[in-house]
Amino acid sequence: WKAWGQQPTAFVALWRRVHAALRRDAPQTALVWGPSSGNGYPYRTITPTTVSAADFALLDTTKDGVVDAKDDPYSPYYPGDEFVDWIGMS
């Protein structure tokens, strides 16, 4: 995993910026949200001191105060139905 990873707020914000640009400049383009396998998630130790509070809150999908294999590796990064045309898994 990359050091700049585990930042779902930044990922979703960028996705939505790209979506807006494509809808404006290439409206017939379809956006496919296709995350990689979540095997091995969370890929590194995540604590409230290693990511922002907002990202930690999103990454801790079980709301147990720990980001671990029990958490959903996908939902924190999902931009929203209105910003995704297709979903694919690899």
Side-chain angles (χ1 to χ4, degrees):
W1 195 254
K2 303 293 183 195
W4 42 261
Q6 284 17 96
Q7 297 178 44
T9 54
F11 176 84
V12 169
L14 181 58
W15 181 283
R16 291 177 179 182
R17 283 181 50 207
V18 169
H19 175 272
L22 287 171
R23 289 298 177 255
R24 182 187 66 239
D25 298 335
Q28 301 218 5
T29 302
L31 282 129
V32 179
W33 183 74
S36 296
S37 170
N39 292 343
Y41 184 80
Y43 315 116
R44 67 180 176 96
T45 302
I46 299 175
T47 68
T49 61
T50 60
V51 297
S52 73
D55 285 334
F56 190 84
L58 288 172
L59 294 166
D60 182 17
T61 61
T62 59
K63 304 304 178 206
D64 62 359
V66 177
V67 176
D68 59 19
K70 296 175 193 162
D71 291 295
D72 181 347
Y74 307 109
S75 64
Y77 299 93
Y78 186 64
D81 290 348
E82 62 271 31
F83 302 100
V84 173
D85 297 306
W86 294 91
I87 297 174
M89 298 295 289
S90 58

Short mmCIF file of all heavy atoms in Angstrom, two decimals, residues 1 5-8 38 40-77:
data_model
loop_
_atom_site.label_atom_id
_atom_site.label_comp_id
_atom_site.label_asym_id
_atom_site.label_seq_id
_atom_site.Cartn_x
_atom_site.Cartn_y
_atom_site.Cartn_z
N TRP A 1 0.85 -1.18 0.00
CA TRP A 1 0.00 0.00 0.00
C TRP A 1 0.89 1.23 0.00
O TRP A 1 1.95 1.24 0.60
CB TRP A 1 -0.92 -0.03 1.21
CG TRP A 1 -2.04 0.94 1.08
CD1 TRP A 1 -2.15 2.11 1.74
CD2 TRP A 1 -3.19 0.84 0.26
NE1 TRP A 1 -3.30 2.75 1.38
CE2 TRP A 1 -3.96 1.99 0.47
CE3 TRP A 1 -3.63 -0.10 -0.65
CZ2 TRP A 1 -5.16 2.23 -0.19
CZ3 TRP A 1 -4.83 0.14 -1.30
CH2 TRP A 1 -5.57 1.29 -1.06
N GLY A 5 -1.97 6.43 0.66
CA GLY A 5 -3.24 5.72 0.68
C GLY A 5 -4.00 5.95 1.98
O GLY A 5 -3.59 6.71 2.85
N GLN A 6 -5.11 5.24 2.11
CA GLN A 6 -5.96 5.34 3.29
C GLN A 6 -6.44 6.76 3.53
O GLN A 6 -6.53 7.22 4.65
CB GLN A 6 -5.25 4.88 4.53
CG GLN A 6 -5.01 3.51 4.88
CD GLN A 6 -5.02 2.25 4.19
OE1 GLN A 6 -3.97 1.87 3.79
NE2 GLN A 6 -6.09 1.52 4.13
N GLN A 7 -6.78 7.44 2.48
CA GLN A 7 -7.32 8.80 2.56
C GLN A 7 -8.63 8.87 1.77
O GLN A 7 -8.69 9.50 0.71
CB GLN A 7 -6.31 9.80 2.01
CG GLN A 7 -5.03 9.84 2.80
CD GLN A 7 -4.04 10.81 2.17
OE1 GLN A 7 -4.41 11.91 1.79
NE2 GLN A 7 -2.80 10.39 2.06
N PRO A 8 -9.69 8.24 2.28
CA PRO A 8 -10.92 8.21 1.51
C PRO A 8 -11.54 9.58 1.26
O PRO A 8 -12.16 9.77 0.20
CB PRO A 8 -11.85 7.32 2.34
CG PRO A 8 -11.28 7.33 3.71
CD PRO A 8 -9.80 7.51 3.53
N GLY A 38 -9.94 -6.46 -1.71
CA GLY A 38 -9.71 -6.02 -0.33
C GLY A 38 -8.93 -7.03 0.49
O GLY A 38 -8.78 -6.85 1.70
N GLY A 40 -6.27 -8.71 2.53
CA GLY A 40 -5.16 -8.15 3.28
C GLY A 40 -5.45 -6.79 3.89
O GLY A 40 -4.58 -6.19 4.52
N TYR A 41 -6.68 -6.29 3.70
CA TYR A 41 -7.05 -4.99 4.26
C TYR A 41 -6.91 -5.03 5.77
O TYR A 41 -7.22 -6.03 6.37
CB TYR A 41 -8.50 -4.67 3.86
CG TYR A 41 -8.97 -3.31 4.30
CD1 TYR A 41 -8.63 -2.19 3.57
CD2 TYR A 41 -9.74 -3.15 5.44
CE1 TYR A 41 -9.04 -0.93 3.97
CE2 TYR A 41 -10.16 -1.91 5.84
CZ TYR A 41 -9.82 -0.80 5.11
OH TYR A 41 -10.23 0.44 5.50
N PRO A 42 -6.38 -4.00 6.40
CA PRO A 42 -6.17 -2.63 5.96
C PRO A 42 -4.77 -2.34 5.44
O PRO A 42 -4.42 -1.17 5.29
CB PRO A 42 -6.47 -1.81 7.21
CG PRO A 42 -6.06 -2.68 8.34
CD PRO A 42 -6.35 -4.08 7.87
N TYR A 43 -3.97 -3.34 5.11
CA TYR A 43 -2.67 -3.19 4.45
C TYR A 43 -1.56 -2.61 5.33
O TYR A 43 -0.40 -2.82 5.06
CB TYR A 43 -2.75 -2.36 3.16
CG TYR A 43 -3.91 -2.74 2.28
CD1 TYR A 43 -4.93 -1.84 2.02
CD2 TYR A 43 -4.01 -4.01 1.75
CE1 TYR A 43 -6.01 -2.20 1.23
CE2 TYR A 43 -5.08 -4.38 0.97
CZ TYR A 43 -6.08 -3.47 0.71
OH TYR A 43 -7.13 -3.82 -0.06
N ARG A 44 -1.90 -1.83 6.30
CA ARG A 44 -0.92 -1.30 7.26
C ARG A 44 -1.69 -0.90 8.51
O ARG A 44 -2.91 -0.84 8.51
CB ARG A 44 -0.15 -0.11 6.69
CG ARG A 44 -0.99 1.13 6.44
CD ARG A 44 -0.14 2.26 5.86
NE ARG A 44 -0.94 3.42 5.53
CZ ARG A 44 -1.10 4.48 6.32
NH1 ARG A 44 -0.53 4.52 7.49
NH2 ARG A 44 -1.83 5.50 5.93
N THR A 45 -0.97 -0.61 9.58
CA THR A 45 -1.61 -0.18 10.82
C THR A 45 -2.18 1.22 10.65
O THR A 45 -1.50 2.13 10.21
CB THR A 45 -0.60 -0.20 11.98
OG1 THR A 45 -0.07 -1.52 12.09
CG2 THR A 45 -1.25 0.20 13.28
N ILE A 46 -3.44 1.35 11.02
CA ILE A 46 -4.11 2.64 10.94
C ILE A 46 -4.62 3.01 12.32
O ILE A 46 -5.32 2.24 12.96
CB ILE A 46 -5.29 2.60 9.95
CG1 ILE A 46 -4.77 2.26 8.55
CG2 ILE A 46 -6.05 3.91 9.96
CD1 ILE A 46 -5.83 2.08 7.54
N THR A 47 -4.23 4.18 12.76
CA THR A 47 -4.69 4.69 14.05
C THR A 47 -5.13 6.14 13.85
O THR A 47 -4.85 6.73 12.81
CB THR A 47 -3.55 4.66 15.10
OG1 THR A 47 -2.54 5.61 14.73
CG2 THR A 47 -2.93 3.27 15.23
N PRO A 48 -5.79 6.70 14.86
CA PRO A 48 -6.18 8.11 14.71
C PRO A 48 -5.01 9.07 14.54
O PRO A 48 -5.19 10.21 14.15
CB PRO A 48 -6.94 8.39 16.01
CG PRO A 48 -7.45 7.07 16.45
CD PRO A 48 -6.37 6.09 16.03
N THR A 49 -3.79 8.60 14.81
CA THR A 49 -2.62 9.48 14.63
C THR A 49 -1.95 9.30 13.27
O THR A 49 -1.10 10.09 12.90
CB THR A 49 -1.57 9.24 15.73
OG1 THR A 49 -1.13 7.88 15.68
CG2 THR A 49 -2.15 9.54 17.11
N THR A 50 -2.33 8.26 12.50
CA THR A 50 -1.71 8.04 11.20
C THR A 50 -2.56 8.53 10.03
O THR A 50 -2.08 8.60 8.91
CB THR A 50 -1.38 6.55 10.98
OG1 THR A 50 -2.59 5.78 11.06
CG2 THR A 50 -0.38 6.05 12.01
N VAL A 51 -3.82 8.85 10.29
CA VAL A 51 -4.71 9.41 9.27
C VAL A 51 -5.54 10.52 9.93
O VAL A 51 -5.59 10.62 11.15
CB VAL A 51 -5.64 8.35 8.65
CG1 VAL A 51 -4.86 7.28 7.91
CG2 VAL A 51 -6.56 7.72 9.68
N SER A 52 -6.21 11.32 9.13
CA SER A 52 -7.04 12.38 9.70
C SER A 52 -8.22 11.78 10.46
O SER A 52 -8.61 10.63 10.23
CB SER A 52 -7.56 13.29 8.59
OG SER A 52 -8.58 12.63 7.85
N ALA A 53 -8.81 12.57 11.34
CA ALA A 53 -9.96 12.11 12.11
C ALA A 53 -11.12 11.75 11.18
O ALA A 53 -11.82 10.76 11.41
CB ALA A 53 -10.38 13.19 13.11
N ALA A 54 -11.32 12.55 10.13
CA ALA A 54 -12.40 12.27 9.19
C ALA A 54 -12.17 10.96 8.46
O ALA A 54 -13.10 10.15 8.29
CB ALA A 54 -12.53 13.42 8.18
N ASP A 55 -10.92 10.71 8.04
CA ASP A 55 -10.61 9.46 7.36
C ASP A 55 -10.74 8.27 8.31
O ASP A 55 -11.28 7.23 7.94
CB ASP A 55 -9.22 9.49 6.74
CG ASP A 55 -9.16 10.34 5.48
OD1 ASP A 55 -10.20 10.49 4.81
OD2 ASP A 55 -8.09 10.86 5.16
N PHE A 56 -10.26 8.43 9.54
CA PHE A 56 -10.38 7.33 10.50
C PHE A 56 -11.84 6.98 10.73
O PHE A 56 -12.21 5.80 10.76
CB PHE A 56 -9.70 7.68 11.83
CG PHE A 56 -9.61 6.50 12.75
CD1 PHE A 56 -8.57 5.60 12.63
CD2 PHE A 56 -10.59 6.27 13.72
CE1 PHE A 56 -8.49 4.49 13.46
CE2 PHE A 56 -10.52 5.17 14.55
CZ PHE A 56 -9.47 4.28 14.43
N ALA A 57 -12.68 7.98 10.86
CA ALA A 57 -14.11 7.73 11.08
C ALA A 57 -14.72 6.96 9.91
O ALA A 57 -15.55 6.07 10.10
CB ALA A 57 -14.85 9.05 11.30
N LEU A 58 -14.31 7.28 8.69
CA LEU A 58 -14.81 6.55 7.52
C LEU A 58 -14.23 5.14 7.43
O LEU A 58 -14.94 4.19 7.09
CB LEU A 58 -14.46 7.32 6.24
CG LEU A 58 -15.25 8.60 5.99
CD1 LEU A 58 -14.66 9.35 4.80
CD2 LEU A 58 -16.72 8.29 5.76
N LEU A 59 -12.94 5.00 7.72
CA LEU A 59 -12.28 3.70 7.61
C LEU A 59 -12.76 2.72 8.68
O LEU A 59 -12.80 1.51 8.45
CB LEU A 59 -10.77 3.87 7.69
CG LEU A 59 -10.13 4.62 6.52
CD1 LEU A 59 -8.70 5.03 6.86
CD2 LEU A 59 -10.19 3.80 5.25
N ASP A 60 -13.13 3.22 9.84
CA ASP A 60 -13.62 2.38 10.94
C ASP A 60 -15.11 2.09 10.72
O ASP A 60 -15.96 2.59 11.43
CB ASP A 60 -13.38 3.08 12.29
CG ASP A 60 -13.82 2.24 13.47
OD1 ASP A 60 -14.01 1.01 13.31
OD2 ASP A 60 -14.01 2.83 14.56
N THR A 61 -15.40 1.26 9.73
CA THR A 61 -16.79 1.02 9.34
C THR A 61 -17.58 0.26 10.41
O THR A 61 -18.80 0.34 10.43
CB THR A 61 -16.88 0.26 8.00
OG1 THR A 61 -16.24 -1.00 8.12
CG2 THR A 61 -16.25 1.08 6.88
N THR A 62 -16.90 -0.47 11.28
CA THR A 62 -17.59 -1.18 12.36
C THR A 62 -17.80 -0.29 13.57
O THR A 62 -18.49 -0.68 14.51
CB THR A 62 -16.81 -2.44 12.79
OG1 THR A 62 -15.50 -2.05 13.23
CG2 THR A 62 -16.71 -3.45 11.65
N LYS A 63 -17.19 0.89 13.56
CA LYS A 63 -17.31 1.87 14.65
C LYS A 63 -16.91 1.30 16.01
O LYS A 63 -17.48 1.62 17.03
CB LYS A 63 -18.74 2.44 14.72
CG LYS A 63 -19.22 3.06 13.42
CD LYS A 63 -18.28 4.14 12.95
CE LYS A 63 -18.73 4.73 11.62
NZ LYS A 63 -17.66 5.28 10.84
N ASP A 64 -15.84 0.47 15.97
CA ASP A 64 -15.34 -0.11 17.22
C ASP A 64 -14.04 0.54 17.68
O ASP A 64 -13.40 0.08 18.62
CB ASP A 64 -15.17 -1.62 17.10
CG ASP A 64 -14.14 -2.02 16.04
OD1 ASP A 64 -13.57 -1.14 15.37
OD2 ASP A 64 -13.92 -3.24 15.88
N GLY A 65 -13.62 1.62 17.00
CA GLY A 65 -12.41 2.33 17.38
C GLY A 65 -11.13 1.73 16.84
O GLY A 65 -10.04 2.18 17.17
N VAL A 66 -11.26 0.72 15.98
CA VAL A 66 -10.09 0.03 15.41
C VAL A 66 -10.35 -0.17 13.92
O VAL A 66 -11.44 -0.53 13.51
CB VAL A 66 -9.89 -1.35 16.07
CG1 VAL A 66 -8.74 -2.11 15.44
CG2 VAL A 66 -9.71 -1.21 17.57
N VAL A 67 -9.33 0.08 13.10
CA VAL A 67 -9.42 -0.25 11.68
C VAL A 67 -8.67 -1.56 11.49
O VAL A 67 -7.46 -1.64 11.69
CB VAL A 67 -8.82 0.86 10.79
CG1 VAL A 67 -8.85 0.44 9.33
CG2 VAL A 67 -9.58 2.16 10.99
N ASP A 68 -9.44 -2.61 11.18
CA ASP A 68 -8.85 -3.94 11.02
C ASP A 68 -9.60 -4.70 9.94
O ASP A 68 -10.43 -4.13 9.21
CB ASP A 68 -8.83 -4.69 12.35
CG ASP A 68 -10.20 -4.87 12.97
OD1 ASP A 68 -11.23 -4.75 12.26
OD2 ASP A 68 -10.27 -5.15 14.19
N ALA A 69 -9.33 -5.99 9.83
CA ALA A 69 -9.92 -6.81 8.77
C ALA A 69 -11.43 -6.91 8.87
O ALA A 69 -12.10 -7.30 7.90
CB ALA A 69 -9.30 -8.21 8.80
N LYS A 70 -12.02 -6.56 9.99
CA LYS A 70 -13.48 -6.59 10.14
C LYS A 70 -14.16 -5.41 9.44
O LYS A 70 -15.35 -5.43 9.19
CB LYS A 70 -13.86 -6.58 11.62
CG LYS A 70 -13.39 -7.80 12.37
CD LYS A 70 -13.70 -7.65 13.85
CE LYS A 70 -12.96 -8.72 14.63
NZ LYS A 70 -12.86 -8.39 16.04
N ASP A 71 -13.39 -4.38 9.13
CA ASP A 71 -13.94 -3.19 8.48
C ASP A 71 -14.09 -3.41 6.97
O ASP A 71 -13.34 -4.16 6.36
CB ASP A 71 -13.04 -1.98 8.74
CG ASP A 71 -13.11 -1.56 10.19
OD1 ASP A 71 -14.18 -1.13 10.62
OD2 ASP A 71 -12.08 -1.68 10.89
N ASP A 72 -15.07 -2.74 6.40
CA ASP A 72 -15.33 -2.81 4.97
C ASP A 72 -14.24 -2.05 4.22
O ASP A 72 -14.07 -0.85 4.43
CB ASP A 72 -16.70 -2.19 4.70
CG ASP A 72 -17.11 -2.23 3.24
OD1 ASP A 72 -16.26 -2.52 2.37
OD2 ASP A 72 -18.29 -1.95 2.97
N PRO A 73 -13.49 -2.72 3.33
CA PRO A 73 -12.42 -2.03 2.63
C PRO A 73 -12.89 -1.16 1.47
O PRO A 73 -12.11 -0.42 0.90
CB PRO A 73 -11.54 -3.18 2.11
CG PRO A 73 -12.49 -4.31 1.94
CD PRO A 73 -13.52 -4.15 3.03
N TYR A 74 -14.17 -1.24 1.12
CA TYR A 74 -14.67 -0.55 -0.07
C TYR A 74 -15.50 0.69 0.22
O TYR A 74 -15.32 1.73 -0.42
CB TYR A 74 -15.48 -1.51 -0.94
CG TYR A 74 -14.75 -2.78 -1.27
CD1 TYR A 74 -15.12 -3.99 -0.71
CD2 TYR A 74 -13.65 -2.76 -2.12
CE1 TYR A 74 -14.44 -5.16 -1.01
CE2 TYR A 74 -12.96 -3.92 -2.43
CZ TYR A 74 -13.36 -5.11 -1.87
OH TYR A 74 -12.68 -6.25 -2.16
N SER A 75 -16.44 0.60 1.12
CA SER A 75 -17.41 1.68 1.30
C SER A 75 -16.81 3.05 1.62
O SER A 75 -17.35 4.06 1.16
CB SER A 75 -18.47 1.31 2.34
OG SER A 75 -17.90 1.14 3.62
N PRO A 76 -15.69 3.14 2.35
CA PRO A 76 -15.14 4.48 2.59
C PRO A 76 -14.73 5.21 1.32
O PRO A 76 -14.66 6.44 1.29
CB PRO A 76 -13.93 4.22 3.47
CG PRO A 76 -14.20 2.91 4.13
CD PRO A 76 -14.95 2.12 3.10
N TYR A 77 -14.46 4.45 0.26
CA TYR A 77 -13.96 5.03 -0.99
C TYR A 77 -15.04 5.17 -2.05
O TYR A 77 -14.77 5.66 -3.14
CB TYR A 77 -12.82 4.16 -1.53
CG TYR A 77 -11.66 4.11 -0.58
CD1 TYR A 77 -11.56 3.09 0.36
CD2 TYR A 77 -10.69 5.10 -0.60
CE1 TYR A 77 -10.51 3.06 1.26
CE2 TYR A 77 -9.65 5.07 0.30
CZ TYR A 77 -9.56 4.04 1.22
OH TYR A 77 -8.53 4.02 2.11
#
